Amino acid sequence: MTNEQYQEAVEWLFVQAPNYQTDGQKAYKPGLDNIIKLCDFFGNPQEKIKCIHIGGTNGKGSSSNMLASVLQESGYKIGLYNSPHLIDFTERIKVNGNNCDKEFVYHFIQKLKNLPENIRPSFFEFTTIMAFEYFYQQNVDFAIIEVGLGGRLDSTNIIKPLVSAITNVQLDHQNILGDTIEEIAGEKAGIVKAGVPVISGDENEAVKNIIKNKADEENATFVDASLLRTGLKSDLKGNYQEKNIKVVLCLIDELRKLNYTISDENIEKGLLHVHQNTGFIGRWFQFSENPLTICDTGHNQAGLEYVFSQLNSIDKRKHIILGFVNDKKIDDVMKILPDNSQFYFAKPAIHRGRHPEDYENLLVDAKIFYKIFDSVQEAYLSAKEECTNEEMIFIGGSNFVVGEFLEKNLEISK
């Protein structure tokens, strides 16, 4: 297999089952019928691996990577399924921090091309079965599975995990999951399984009650991680990681109850070596020191509030590069923009990317200093030119903005 063949195979996957909604094609297909047929076709690999299920609006990726790092430090072989990818498709499926083998991806896609007519999966269903099969073939000790969207109808919800977690519940994807926190909490609580302990990281009493009531219905242990007190730190540097650490510690506690060996030293080392152990980047990721350049994939209201609050705590003038996708409520973002900043708005290079000219009226109304660019890279180069070493650059607003920035610049910086 050549790299060209691999790229062609992945491109076929995107064409057959788009990653996101496009005109006339839906990427999100709620319900488990399709994934059940798909898993049956491949011999139900998800039933042959031990899984840990992690859902929530924000923090799923950070929590799953921290847990993976701790378990790797404990000597276990760990499969990790995250989405979306930032640079390469294989980032979605990792074993002990190593991206999925491209040869496997290529040959698996050839099998997908020969599916029966009655199985027409979405992109996420394709990648979910691919992850299950890869983890089974790699004989992992645990597969940490991040929920894609929601929970109840998400294709990952076919698994019967050892333990589950819901990091938090915020307003996001309202067009699919519901208009209120309570409705969205109900969808996310759909991952709670009979007799399977569930960790809740949210501090909102209404959210806690919804998850706890679902746990009671399923005779499942409910653990409130928000009550935990800990001084442990991680090399993932967002202030919001304190809440995710609590979720991870509670997950570990439940695994210990199942007689899995995880020492306090494993926990401490694992939390401090997430980047090294899992290759996880994009969450309050320091790209450079001079000038200080940070990127973060926070993209919904709650995530951006955390990120912008941390930016405001840094006593530097800021050059902030932002880009958004079509379904983002940009007027809400305008209300929480950091102070003491010059803004560079750019269009993400994807089908759903929104050009800043479409919302320039909001930028004018916000009375901010801003420039508009056709690409993230153009915006970054402009910011880099204007930024002094006493100031800082921030890149964010969307996974796609951060991914595009890192793809263009990460290798250059090494």
Side-chain angles (χ1 to χ4, degrees):
M1 180 210 70
T2 65
N3 192 57
E4 188 175 311
Q5 287 175 311
Y6 163 76
Q7 294 296 342
E8 286 176 358
V10 172
E11 283 170 18
W12 176 89
L13 188 62
F14 277 87
V15 169
Q16 298 303 312
N19 191 4
Y20 284 89
Q21 312 293 100
T22 61
D23 296 336
Q25 285 187 295
K26 289 187 175 181
Y28 178 68
K29 296 183 179 180
L32 301 182
D33 289 349
N34 242 345
I35 193 67
I36 289 170
K37 291 177 186 175
L38 198 53
C39 287
D40 279 343
F41 182 81
F42 283 97
N44 288 304
Q46 80 284 358
E47 295 178 357
K48 303 166 188 172
I49 52 178
K50 293 174 182 172
C51 295
I52 297 162
H53 208 188
I54 300 183
T57 304
N58 297 310
K60 300 187 295 291
S62 295
S63 298
S64 58
N65 276 268
M66 283 194 279
L67 179 61
S69 181
V70 169
L71 293 176
Q72 284 171 227
E73 290 284 349
S74 306
Y76 295 108
K77 188 175 185 180
I78 303 302
L80 181 60
Y81 180 47
N82 290 138
S83 61
H85 62 272
L86 291 181
I87 300 172
D88 189 86
F89 174 82
T90 55
E91 294 169 33
R92 292 169 175 261
I93 304 169
K94 294 183 177 182
V95 172
N96 278 9
N98 297 311
N99 289 3
C100 180
D101 181 61
K102 289 185 177 181
E103 191 94 25
F104 169 83
V105 172
Y106 172 78
H107 288 294
F108 196 82
I109 289 174
Q110 306 317 306
K111 295 177 185 177
L112 293 176
K113 290 179 179 179
N114 296 313
L115 286 174
E117 283 295 321
N118 67 326
I119 308 177
R120 282 292 169 264
S122 68
F123 177 89
F124 191 72
E125 287 165 340
F126 270 146
T127 59
T128 299
I129 183 59
M130 191 183 295
F132 292 155
E133 180 64 19
Y134 190 66
F135 296 151
Y136 169 60
Q137 289 188 16
Q138 291 288 309
N139 194 29
V140 300
D141 295 310
F142 299 101
I144 301 172
I145 307 296
E146 179 188 329
V147 173
L149 181 62
R152 182 176 66 92
L153 300 176
D154 188 75
S155 59
T156 65
N157 207 27
I158 193 173
I159 63 175
K160 178 70 183 288
L162 298 172
V163 58
S164 301
I166 299 169
T167 55
N168 56 55
V169 177
Q170 305 288 346
L171 292 174
D172 200 18
H173 300 294
Q174 290 99 309
N175 57 323
I176 296 171
L177 301 179
D179 293 325
T180 67
I181 291 287
E182 289 76 14
E183 287 176 315
I184 296 171
E187 288 298 311
K188 294 190 182 294
I191 69 169
V192 179
K193 301 286 194 309
V196 177
V198 59
I199 314 301
S200 168
D202 206 301
E203 296 173 349
N204 183 324
E205 290 298 326
V207 170
K208 286 186 195 180
N209 288 335
I210 288 168
I211 298 171
K212 186 177 187 307
N213 289 340
K214 180 63 175 176
D216 290 343
E217 284 176 26
E218 299 290 348
N219 195 27
T221 301
F222 171 83
V223 180
D224 185 354
S226 70
L227 301 178
L228 191 66
R229 296 290 172 264
T230 177
L232 289 173
K233 301 294 182 185
S234 170
D235 62 338
L236 302 187
K237 291 302 182 186
N239 290 344
Y240 50 80
Q241 298 297 0
E242 293 175 15
K243 299 175 188 291
N244 295 329
I245 289 171
K246 294 179 182 182
V247 171
V248 171
L249 293 176
C250 289
L251 282 165
I252 291 165
D253 190 49
E254 292 303 315
L255 291 173
R256 281 172 158 177
K257 290 177 184 176
L258 295 172
N259 296 319
Y260 292 106
T261 303
I262 307 160
S263 71
D264 290 347
E265 184 182 3
N266 297 150
I267 295 171
E268 191 172 341
K269 282 187 175 179
L271 290 175
L272 289 173
H273 296 102
V274 182
H275 290 304
Q276 177 185 317
N277 288 340
T278 74
F280 187 57
I281 57 175
R283 275 56 166 194
W284 201 260
F285 175 65
Q286 183 170 321
F287 173 78
S288 71
E289 193 171 338
N290 291 307
L292 176 63
T293 302
I294 301 285
C295 55
D296 192 286
T297 55
H299 56 277
N300 53 43
Q301 186 75 5
L304 287 171
E305 282 178 1
Y306 280 125
V307 170
F308 290 166
S309 173
Q310 189 159 356
L311 280 173
N312 278 329
S313 71
I314 300 173
D315 188 22
K316 289 177 180 282
R317 185 167 185 271
K318 300 159 190 77
H319 297 261
I320 297 180
I321 300 158
L322 295 173
F324 306 104
V325 293
N326 285 331
D327 58 358
K328 185 59 54 190
K329 291 187 71 176
I330 296 170
D331 49 344
D332 290 340
V333 177
M334 292 300 112
K335 300 171 187 173
I336 58 171
L337 292 174
D339 305 322
N340 190 25
S341 302
Q342 162 80 38
F343 294 91
Y344 306 73
F345 290 91
K347 179 190 181 298
I350 59 164
H351 178 81
R352 297 165 63 231
R354 190 170 178 189
H355 200 288
E357 289 174 353
D358 294 345
Y359 54 85
E360 189 170 9
N361 61 312
L362 298 176
L363 306 182
V364 172
D365 291 345
K367 295 182 171 57
I368 56 176
F369 296 104
Y370 72 90
K371 295 181 180 180
I372 284 177
F373 297 88
D374 293 330
S375 74
V376 172
Q377 187 65 1
E378 288 176 31
Y380 170 62
L381 292 176
S382 177
K384 191 177 178 184
E385 190 174 317
E386 295 190 30
C387 185
T388 69
N389 282 346
E390 288 70 46
E391 299 172 337
M392 72 170 290
I393 296 173
F394 174 81
I395 304 103
S398 164
N399 284 292
F400 306 104
V401 170
V402 173
E404 194 175 329
F405 164 72
L406 292 175
E407 184 175 16
K408 297 281 188 187
N409 300 285
L410 196 56
E411 288 300 323
I412 298 171
S413 71
K414 290 180 179 178

